[in-house]
Amino acid sequence: MKFQVSKSALVEAVSQVSKAVSSKTTIPILTGIQVIAHDQGLCFTGSNSDLTIQVNVPNQKEEQQQVTVEEMGNIVLPGRILGDIVRKLPGDQVTWETTEKFQTVIQSEQARFELIGLDPDEYPRLPHLTNRSSFTLHTDTLRTIIRQTQFAVSHDEAKMILTGVLWQLKQGKLTSIGTDGHRLARKQVDIEGSEDLFFEHVIIPGKSMAELAKTFNDSDGYVDIVVADNQLLVQNEHLEFYTRLIEGKYPNTDDFIPEDGQIEVICSTRDLLQSVDRASLISRGGRDHVIKWTIKDGIVEISSISQEIGKVTEQVKAQVSGEELSISFNPRYMMEALRSLDCEEVRLLFKGTMAPFTLRPKEYQDTLHLILPIRTH
Amino acid sequence: MGSRIIFLVDMQSFYASIEKADHPEWKAIPLVVSGDPKRRSGVILAACPLAKAYGVRNAETLWQAQQKYSQLKVVRPRMQRYLEVSLQLTQIMERFTDLVEPYSIDEQFMDLTGSQQLFGSTIQMAQTIQQTIHEKLNLPARIGISDNKVVAKMACDHFAKKNETGIFHLPSDQVPEILWPQPIESLFGVGRRMANHFRRMGIRTIGELAQFPVDQLKKRWGIHGQVLWMSANGYDHSPVTRNSFQKPKSIGHQLTLPRDYYTEKEIQVVLLELCEEVCRRARRQHYHGKKVTVGCRSADFDHPHGFSRQIQMSTYSHHAPTLFPYAWKLFETFWDGKPIRSLSVSLSSLAPDDLVQLDLFTDHLQHQRLDQAMDIIHDRYGATALLRASSLLPASQVKERAKKIGGHYRS
């Protein structure tokens, strides 16, 4: 196999697929990156037990020749070292040649690397998708969904189901939920032309979600989402991102989410975030991460006491309706929720000292955060 | 802080002395308190001075002791009784000061700084305490005296135990004269390994450590190095406090099994029982914890293997059914499948249990009510009054364990 490729295209492709390459895998071949040269261009693949990323580099990009394949073929090279090498190559053009015994020569200007490759026949095939259903999503929307729900998932391996983000598609509406049991984040978006589609137990590993957001970080335009048995595929023209799904049944959370509340607070998101952030300086030093809110006429009073450090109090102006209420909770959950909301003003609804409370943007309903309080006695 | 008066009161051959006090007919006979020789706990827990005269030492096996003197009177431990006496001792000492800190079952610290006007000179006070203990409990006590705890402890261990009166006063300004010539392993907190390290550095006596540059010790051993250096110099600022006010770092239980356990099923039974016991003790002290540690050791004591591993839970807990899945997961991950002879579970990263993070999928209130009900039944009717069904299996150790304290029989 032999080809020439522009360095920038090579670096881009290798760095994308590297996200799926793990040095800690028990399957040696998966520490490598697979490179295929075919008549249309090049194809790079990186994979671990959870996810697989494949990048296609076509011969031409925007009418510019970026790949010239002289001889087709394939090879697997050690992933980490390949990534380091291609980034540091001196020239703009790279020549790549693989001989029969998997030996690969990568040349750019005066630099010449001879690498020992692995047998490409051992490299696993792409996940086979059965029972597919698909829809399209703008990458902006995809990134927002991930940003607003992925942070809330559990990191506790003992609660495997909760380490994933739940996706449900019903009546043209995609619902994404992340929760660790202490707080919950939910985002809903309308998917045009998906009225006939239905699924309710697609659980995507939280780590895969984070990688997915990074992978499509710089992309614009639409992606196809393909939901299949045990796999989810997100793809555009050049990139295919496969992730394993978590098997099992996600607990029903609808019943937990109160649609109303006796006490309503409307407040500037920024003011609230900054005051909770300040109060958490004291609570973070204490034994437990807890702050207290006292909601009364026109203000939210935020306080935190730590026996070892001291205390803090401050007031934030707010529109308050309903009775006076005191409630304690973990400020980290509040800060993460407020940071993920893209709105000037936030609306909070409370039912009581011991009851979960909700945060929503004042102007719209598609985003919701639920926080469970800390019981004090 | 002005100069303090600190006593360390140590009970001579505590368990053996109690047995002799309770059984006057054994007074003149060499006597040892020893665990059951048929089980692995067959070691000497206490030997009376008469037995020690034959060379019998604590912690050697009963068999070894009997080689030295075959007529030894061997008594089974009665842990419940020893605990009672230990509490009575504390009560006696509390007549002299409210600052009494039980340090172990047979050693207690007293701060008598505020009591001088009431009970006379330092030595007089020590004599009065010694006499009172003798009158009330018929037990011999030795007392080390200084102006801080660490020197009082060393005054007792190295001097009061060896002189006629059983009392020794070592003010910290006399430390260079009296303590410094002592070998380094006589320093409180220095074990055999540490002594070897020091000797390799050319430090053979307490005095040589006291004069060693503290920065170098700190560099090598961190805070521990500094503490040892301070002890060698007779510095110790720690107060005498009731242990109950100190926050425990971890709450744990270890269990030596009566025979090898081979199967997951058997091990699960005792692991759950250990979780229950740890949680119950945590609840009693009003702490819940976030980290679970599980350890085990194999049956082969000549080629020991085993592990001790920990895992962080996603919430604080002292509810056994919450702990158990984490404990089991740890065990399952690190167990090499070989038969085990001892198992331990502990809970750490503790916090007072008055704050509870509510959870969508767990009804903490229900757990709490259930635990409370179980605790009340156990406190009133004993640890075996209410058992999990799994504790009715042959692998269970609950019933056996209920008879013991610290691994030895209650009575």
Side-chain angles (χ1 to χ4, degrees):
Chain A
M1 134 178 173
K2 191 176 181 188
F3 60 84
Q4 282 91 42
V5 60
S6 85
K7 182 193 158 190
S8 59
L10 180 63
V11 170
E12 165 74 15
V14 170
S15 83
Q16 282 284 32
V17 300
S18 290
K19 294 193 184 90
V21 179
S22 159
S23 52
K24 277 186 278 178
T25 173
T26 48
I27 310 162
I29 192 80
L30 291 184
T31 60
I33 289 173
Q34 187 190 40
V35 185
I36 302 173
H38 53 88
D39 57 357
Q40 306 288 313
L42 304 174
C43 174
F44 295 80
T45 310
S47 184
N48 62 41
S49 49
D50 281 349
L51 47 97
T52 300
I53 300 174
Q54 186 166 81
V55 174
N56 285 296
V57 184
N59 289 337
Q60 270 153 16
K61 184 186 175 189
E62 289 156 7
E63 319 242 314
Q64 291 262 314
Q65 189 81 13
Q66 54 177 358
V67 178
T68 312
V69 177
E70 288 179 27
E71 191 193 338
M72 293 188 282
N74 58 359
I75 185 69
V76 174
L77 287 177
R80 225 178 54 205
I81 188 124
L82 181 64
D84 289 342
I85 288 171
V86 296
R87 259 187 297 119
K88 294 188 175 176
L89 288 173
D92 296 335
Q93 281 297 313
V94 180
T95 312
W96 181 302
E97 188 170 3
T98 297
T99 63
E100 274 163 24
K101 288 191 172 160
F102 315 133
Q103 197 181 47
T104 299
V105 177
I106 298 173
Q107 258 184 297
S108 179
E109 288 186 349
Q110 76 278 17
R112 177 187 158 91
F113 284 92
E114 288 181 31
L115 300 177
I116 302 155
L118 302 163
D119 185 354
D121 287 345
E122 283 181 27
Y123 201 81
R125 287 157 187 253
L126 286 179
H128 180 64
L129 304 185
T130 51
N131 228 343
R132 312 159 54 116
S133 52
S134 63
F135 57 93
T136 55
L137 210 56
H138 197 273
T139 46
D140 285 342
T141 314
L142 178 68
R143 282 193 295 264
T144 307
I145 291 172
I146 297 171
R147 187 171 58 81
Q148 294 190 338
T149 55
Q150 188 266 335
F151 70 89
V153 302
S154 171
H155 299 286
D156 187 348
E157 297 283 317
K159 298 178 182 168
M160 186 50 80
I161 290 276
L162 296 185
T163 63
V165 172
L166 173 73
W167 274 13
Q168 294 180 320
L169 186 60
K170 282 180 205 167
Q171 294 161 346
K173 185 172 277 199
L174 177 71
T175 304
S176 178
I177 292 173
T179 181
D180 58 6
H182 301 156
R183 37 73 187 272
L184 176 147
R186 185 179 75 183
K187 173 82 180 172
Q188 291 178 312
V189 292
D190 291 324
I191 307 289
E192 267 176 58
S194 74
E195 288 74 14
D196 300 338
L197 292 176
F198 175 84
F199 55 77
E200 58 178 356
H201 280 295
V202 173
I203 309 165
I204 309 156
K207 282 181 193 155
S208 298
M209 280 298 240
E211 290 302 335
L212 183 58
K214 279 189 228 160
T215 304
F216 289 98
N217 197 20
D218 301 323
S219 319
D220 204 10
Y222 286 85
V223 286
D224 290 326
I225 312 267
V226 182
V227 175
D229 291 340
N230 305 324
Q231 288 282 333
L232 179 90
L233 164 62
V234 181
Q235 64 181 351
N236 65 15
E237 226 182 318
H238 304 301
L239 205 147
E240 289 169 33
F241 183 104
Y242 295 81
T243 169
R244 170 185 72 86
L245 297 176
I246 297 174
E247 284 178 55
K249 202 160 183 281
Y250 202 84
N252 180 17
T253 55
D254 291 346
D255 300 341
F256 296 125
I257 297 167
E259 292 306 323
D260 57 349
Q262 284 84 45
I263 302 137
E264 187 192 59
V265 175
I266 295 173
C267 184
S268 150
T269 312
R270 209 170 125 248
D271 292 353
L272 209 51
L273 176 58
Q274 288 178 349
S275 72
V276 173
D277 195 0
R278 277 189 291 271
S280 83
L281 295 175
I282 291 290
S283 77
R284 211 179 307 158
R287 49 165 212 197
D288 280 289
H289 214 27
V290 53
I291 66 169
K292 185 174 151 188
W293 274 15
T294 304
I295 298 158
K296 39 191 168 188
D297 225 9
I299 52 159
V300 176
E301 189 178 272
I302 294 142
S303 65
S304 179
I305 300 174
S306 157
Q307 276 181 351
E308 302 97 61
I309 297 170
K311 62 178 185 176
V312 53
T313 25
E314 70 172 273
Q315 294 182 338
V316 175
K317 279 202 192 94
Q319 291 174 47
V320 176
S321 58
E323 297 165 27
E324 194 173 312
L325 175 82
S326 284
I327 191 164
S328 298
F329 53 86
N330 184 330
R332 184 163 67 87
Y333 300 155
M334 174 67 83
M335 286 192 286
E336 288 180 349
L338 289 171
R339 276 198 196 109
S340 83
L341 287 173
D342 307 308
C343 61
E344 293 260 314
E345 283 187 304
V346 57
R347 188 161 62 107
L348 300 104
L349 285 172
F350 297 87
K351 285 193 133 163
T353 303
M354 302 285 201
F357 60 93
T358 58
L359 294 86
R360 290 185 177 89
K362 186 192 164 195
E363 306 296 338
Y364 42 98
Q365 290 283 323
D366 62 357
T367 316
L368 171 133
H369 296 281
L370 181 80
I371 296 175
L372 280 91
I374 289 173
R375 188 164 51 117
T376 60
H377 52 151
Chain B
M1 195 184 335
S3 183
R4 297 180 296 162
I5 298 176
I6 309 294
F7 284 15
L8 177 82
V9 182
D10 169 274
M11 303 309 296
Q12 184 177 14
S13 312
F14 188 50
Y15 301 169
S17 299
I18 294 173
E19 293 301 339
K20 289 198 167 191
D22 289 355
H23 303 91
E25 68 276 17
W26 294 341
K27 197 172 179 216
I29 313 172
L31 176 147
V32 293
V33 176
S34 164
D36 186 348
K38 281 179 231 124
R39 294 171 60 111
R40 274 167 200 264
S41 42
V43 296
I44 305 294
L45 301 172
C48 77
L50 296 178
K52 279 186 178 156
Y54 284 97
V56 173
R57 286 192 315 271
N58 287 348
E60 68 183 352
T61 62
L62 181 57
W63 183 82
Q64 284 172 318
Q66 282 168 330
Q67 299 292 303
K68 292 172 182 163
Y69 182 66
S70 58
Q71 311 287 291
L72 271 180
K73 172 76 191 165
V74 182
V75 181
R76 289 287 156 70
R78 297 181 298 149
M79 300 308 288
Q80 183 86 44
R81 172 78 183 133
Y82 309 153
L83 277 179
E84 278 166 25
V85 177
S86 185
L87 287 171
Q88 285 170 12
L89 277 166
T90 310
Q91 283 163 10
I92 291 172
M93 292 176 204
E94 279 170 347
R95 297 186 198 169
F96 296 88
T97 171
D98 58 334
L99 292 172
V100 179
E101 178 182 333
Y103 180 67
S104 66
I105 192 165
D106 59 353
E107 290 172 299
Q108 327 217 11
F109 283 109
M110 303 173 74
D111 184 337
L112 289 150
T113 315
S115 313
Q116 296 169 83
Q117 308 301 322
L118 300 172
F119 302 104
S121 78
T122 309
I123 298 292
Q124 274 170 359
M125 276 197 292
Q127 285 167 344
T128 312
I129 290 168
Q130 213 178 24
Q131 278 161 18
T132 313
I133 293 171
H134 187 76
E135 279 163 25
K136 298 282 171 199
L137 299 171
N138 198 13
L139 295 174
R142 279 87 56 96
I143 303 179
I145 307 166
S146 186
D147 34 84
N148 64 54
K149 281 159 78 174
V150 74
V151 181
K153 167 85 175 137
M154 289 189 281
C156 185
D157 286 352
H158 304 316
F159 304 104
K161 283 183 183 178
K162 288 168 189 160
N163 69 15
E164 283 282 299
T165 59
I167 294 173
F168 192 83
H169 188 190
L170 173 55
S172 56
D173 56 12
Q174 286 175 29
V175 162
E177 191 187 320
I178 295 172
L179 212 51
W180 282 11
Q182 297 281 329
I184 188 68
E185 50 265 65
S186 295
L187 183 67
F188 178 67
V190 175
R192 202 176 45 183
R193 274 183 59 185
M194 203 65 189
N196 284 338
H197 283 305
F198 281 140
R199 237 178 248 110
R200 244 171 278 138
M201 293 166 75
I203 300 172
R204 289 156 304 172
T205 64
I206 294 179
E208 282 168 348
L209 178 66
Q211 285 157 310
F212 202 83
V214 63
D215 289 345
Q216 285 183 39
L217 298 170
K218 252 166 93 175
K219 216 176 200 171
R220 179 140 180 211
W221 287 293
I223 195 81
H224 186 55
Q226 191 182 1
V227 168
L228 289 177
W229 180 85
M230 285 177 67
S231 300
N233 277 291
Y235 307 144
D236 177 18
H237 303 298
S238 62
V240 174
T241 48
R242 293 306 305 256
N243 267 356
S244 50
F245 292 122
Q246 282 173 11
K247 184 185 154 185
K249 279 215 173 98
S250 72
I251 293 172
H253 274 292
Q254 187 265 343
L255 175 65
T256 303
L257 299 163
R259 58 177 173 81
D260 295 347
Y261 277 38
Y262 293 89
T263 63
E264 292 194 350
K265 240 183 171 166
E266 285 193 311
I267 294 164
Q268 279 179 340
V269 171
V270 283
L271 192 69
L272 179 58
E273 289 174 355
L274 279 170
C275 287
E276 281 285 3
E277 219 173 311
V278 166
C279 287
R280 202 176 139 205
R281 224 174 86 214
R283 289 195 296 270
R284 181 169 296 158
Q285 297 182 41
H286 302 290
Y287 283 104
H288 51 190
K290 219 170 177 181
K291 252 183 211 152
V292 183
T293 308
V294 172
C296 84
R297 261 190 320 157
S298 67
D300 188 350
F301 279 83
D302 295 329
H303 303 95
H305 54 94
F307 62 84
S308 174
R309 296 284 177 150
Q310 57 181 37
I311 194 169
Q312 177 118 355
M313 300 189 288
S314 51
T315 33
Y316 287 100
S317 178
H318 49 27
H319 182 63
T322 305
L323 243 70
F324 179 76
Y326 291 95
W328 178 247
K329 196 178 164 65
L330 274 179
F331 188 86
E332 215 185 7
T333 312
F334 296 105
W335 184 41
D336 56 7
K338 292 189 178 146
I340 64 156
R341 199 58 182 261
S342 107
L343 196 61
S344 65
V345 171
S346 76
L347 184 63
S348 55
S349 290
L350 301 175
D353 65 359
D354 56 349
L355 299 180
V356 180
Q357 168 69 57
L358 300 180
D359 190 297
L360 279 177
F361 310 110
T362 318
D363 188 346
H364 286 295
L365 222 71
Q366 197 194 357
H367 290 171
Q368 201 187 334
R369 283 198 298 264
L370 183 63
D371 286 338
Q372 264 171 5
M374 279 173 36
D375 289 347
I376 291 169
I377 292 171
H378 285 145
D379 289 346
R380 192 171 301 168
Y381 302 107
T384 54
L386 182 65
L387 296 174
R388 286 189 180 277
S390 66
S391 293
L392 297 173
L393 292 167
S396 166
Q397 287 295 304
V398 167
K399 288 188 176 166
E400 191 60 15
R401 218 165 145 72
K403 298 179 198 155
K404 295 180 184 180
I405 295 173
H408 301 290
Y409 284 95
R410 246 168 223 277
S411 53

